[in-house]
Amino acid sequence: DLGSAGRELAAKAAELSRGLPELQGLIASAKTTNAELASGLDEYRRLLESKVNVACGTADSAPCDAWGPLATAAAENRLGPGLDFPALVEAIVRIYLSQVSSAAAGPVWGVERADTLQDAALEYVQSSGGAGARKGPGPPAWSAVTLADPALHGLLAGAVRHRANTKVGTFCCLIGLTPGVPWGAPVWHFFTSLLYLLKMLLATTWRTTITDWATPVGALLPAAVAADAAANLFNASSADALPAALRQRLAGLSQARMVGGT
C-alpha cells in the first residue's frame, strides 16, 4: 500500500543521507589527488622541455642529439668504405659482450637501465685507441672529437655496407642505422638480457661459442639450449610447456642460430 511504499522510500532516503558525507569525502580526496597529478605532470613536462642530451646514456628510446646527424651520414654513405666484413663482425660481437655484464647487474624488472648501444659502440672505439679517450666514470662523452673519430666512422660505415647480413642487420636496427626501425634502448636492454641468459645456459661452452660468433662463419646453438632459452623467455617450466607453434618449430631444429644472427 502507499503507507508501506512511503516508509520504504523514507528508509532509502535516510540510508542515502548517511552515505552522503562519505561520498563527499571521496570526491574531495579525488580532487586533491587530481590536483597533485596535474602538478606533477606539469613539472615533468617542464623538465622534459628543458632537458639537453649530453650523451647517449639515457633510457630514452631517442638517441642523443649528436647521434642523428652521424647516423644520417652513415646511412647516406658519407663516412667512407668502413670496416671489412671479418673486422666488422668481430667488432660487433665485442661491443655486445662488453655490455653483457650490465644485464647481470640487477633484475630484469623494476630496475631502469641507462646504457645504450650507441654509448657502447663509442666506448669500444675509445678503448681500442680511438679519439677522445674516456675521462672518469659514466657514459662516454659525445663531442666534436669523438663524432669525427675515423674508427667510429669505419664501424658505422661498415655496418651500413654489410647490413644484408643477419648479424650486421640486427646491429643496425639496434643502434639506429635502419630508417623506420625505432627499436631504441628497451630493445637493446632485452637483447643483452638474452645474451646473459645464453651465457648461463651455455656455461663452459660460452667462450668457444662467442669466439665462433665473432667470425664471418658464425656460431650455432645446441637445440637443447635454444629450447631452454625459449622456456625461460615464456616463463614455462620446460620446453614441453611452450605454445604448440613454438614447440613444433623447436622440434624441427638440430641446431639454432646464435641470437642476433650467425
Side-chain angles (χ1 to χ4, degrees), residues 77 85 88-89 92 156-173 177-178 216 260-262:
N77 296 311
F85 187 64
L88 176 66
V89 294
I92 288 173
L156 302 182
V160 171
R161 177 184 170 192
H162 298 288
R163 63 183 168 193
N165 172 266
T166 305
K167 185 186 319 182
V168 180
T170 301
F171 176 78
C172 287
C173 290
L177 291 178
T178 304
T262 56

Side-chain angles (χ1 to χ4, degrees), residues 61-105:
S61 59
C64 67
D65 298 331
W67 179 255
L70 188 62
T72 299
E76 294 177 353
N77 296 311
R78 290 191 278 112
L79 297 182
L83 295 176
D84 60 25
F85 187 64
L88 176 66
V89 294
E90 181 181 2
I92 288 173
V93 172
R94 288 185 178 276
I95 292 169
Y96 288 163
L97 297 179
S98 71
Q99 302 301 311
V100 171
S101 60
S102 63

Side-chain angles (χ1 to χ4, degrees), residues 98-260:
S98 71
Q99 302 301 311
V100 171
S101 60
S102 63
V108 175
W109 303 110
V111 176
E112 183 176 335
R113 287 171 51 186
D115 58 293
T116 67
L117 181 52
Q118 287 92 343
D119 282 343
L122 179 56
E123 185 175 355
Y124 170 78
V125 166
Q126 293 177 342
S127 66
S128 303
R134 295 186 66 184
K135 297 180 180 178
W142 290 82
S143 65
V145 174
T146 55
L147 287 172
D149 189 339
L152 182 61
H153 288 193
L155 172 68
L156 302 182
V160 171
R161 177 184 170 192
H162 298 288
R163 63 183 168 193
N165 172 266
T166 305
K167 185 186 319 182
V168 180
T170 301
F171 176 78
C172 287
C173 290
L174 287 168
I175 203 168
L177 291 178
T178 304
V181 184
W183 281 4
V187 180
W188 164 241
H189 298 160
F190 174 80
F191 184 81
T192 53
S193 296
L194 181 55
L195 284 179
Y196 179 68
L197 169 63
L198 292 176
K199 180 180 180 180
M200 296 296 99
L201 294 174
L202 286 166
T204 56
T205 60
W206 167 252
R207 288 191 177 277
T208 55
T209 302
I210 60 174
T211 298
D212 292 341
W213 193 34
T215 68
V217 175
L220 293 172
L221 294 175
V225 171
D228 285 345
N232 274 271
L233 291 173
F234 281 82
N235 197 27
S237 57
S238 69
D240 293 334
L242 289 169
L246 185 55
R247 287 203 313 273
Q248 291 174 3
R249 296 198 64 178
L250 288 171
L253 293 177
S254 58
Q255 291 177 308
R257 300 295 187 187
M258 183 64 176
V259 60

